[in-house]
């Protein structure tokens, strides 16, 4: 009697939401670190100027905040949140790679951020997650 006939949120989606929060936090931290370092001439030169470094830092902080908000939608099974999380994570991954190469002093934060982004993408598009976001019961096929 306690079995639910409709969609059940798989553990993978819950993990994705938690990882989204962690990823968002690392993006926010990485952005704050970069923002605090943007006045350093070496850092500014690595990014092509203090203005670009500042812009990148603000964008990374914004992506982090957006990711935390998207996590709430993922927990509710919102398909728009799933697509938004995919886009944000792809951009976050690219940004982490670029920042890690351009500013090696932030490499540890950026490596963790990139690995979390990859894990989120893999879990977000698993078969169980696809069933959940399509509103299917766990035993229903996705096609």
């Amino acid at each position: 009697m306690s079995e639910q006939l409709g969609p059940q949120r798989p553990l993978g989606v819950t993990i994705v939401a938690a990882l989204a929060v962690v990823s968002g936090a690392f993006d926010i931290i990485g952005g704050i670190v970069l923002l605090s370092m943007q006045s350093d001439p070496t850092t500014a030169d690595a990014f092509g100027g203090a203005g670009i470094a500042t812009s990148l830092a603000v964008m990374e902080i914004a992506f982090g905040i957006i990711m935390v908000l998207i996590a709430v939608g993922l927990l509710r099974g919102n398909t728009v949140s799933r697509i938004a999380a995919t886009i944000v994570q792809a951009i976050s991954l690219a940004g982490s790679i670029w920042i890690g190469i351009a500013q090696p002093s932030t490499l540890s934060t950026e490596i963790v951020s990139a690995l979390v982004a990859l894990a989120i993408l893999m879990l977000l598009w698993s078969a169980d997650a696809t069933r959940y976001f399509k509103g299917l019961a766990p035993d229903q096929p996705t096609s």
Side-chain angles (χ1 to χ4, degrees):
M1 276 283 226
S2 66
E3 288 185 32
Q4 187 177 4
L5 298 176
Q8 294 178 346
R9 183 174 64 229
L11 179 60
V13 172
T14 303
I15 291 170
V16 165
L19 287 174
V21 171
V22 170
S23 174
F26 275 111
D27 282 344
I28 292 167
I29 291 167
I32 290 170
V33 168
L34 181 58
L35 194 58
S36 70
M37 296 174 64
Q38 58 89 22
S39 62
D40 176 44
T42 307
T43 302
D45 288 343
F47 289 98
I52 294 174
T54 302
S55 297
L56 227 113
V58 169
M59 283 177 34
E60 192 167 14
I61 292 168
F63 282 134
I65 292 169
I66 291 168
M67 204 60 222
V68 170
L69 295 174
I70 288 171
V72 174
L74 293 173
L75 290 172
R76 295 180 179 167
N78 185 302
T79 56
V80 173
S81 292
R82 183 186 195 196
I83 293 167
T86 300
I87 292 167
V88 170
Q89 286 307 309
I91 293 169
S92 174
L93 179 60
S96 292
I97 291 169
W98 187 53
I99 292 170
I101 291 169
Q103 186 58 40
S105 65
T106 64
L107 190 59
S108 60
T109 301
E110 297 306 329
I111 286 174
V112 173
S113 179
L115 290 174
V116 171
L118 281 172
I120 288 172
L121 289 170
M122 288 176 12
L123 288 171
L124 198 56
W125 292 95
S126 70
D128 287 341
T130 299
R131 275 192 286 283
Y132 174 65
F133 286 106
K134 286 185 174 184
L136 302 173
D139 59 346
Q140 287 182 294
T142 57
S143 50

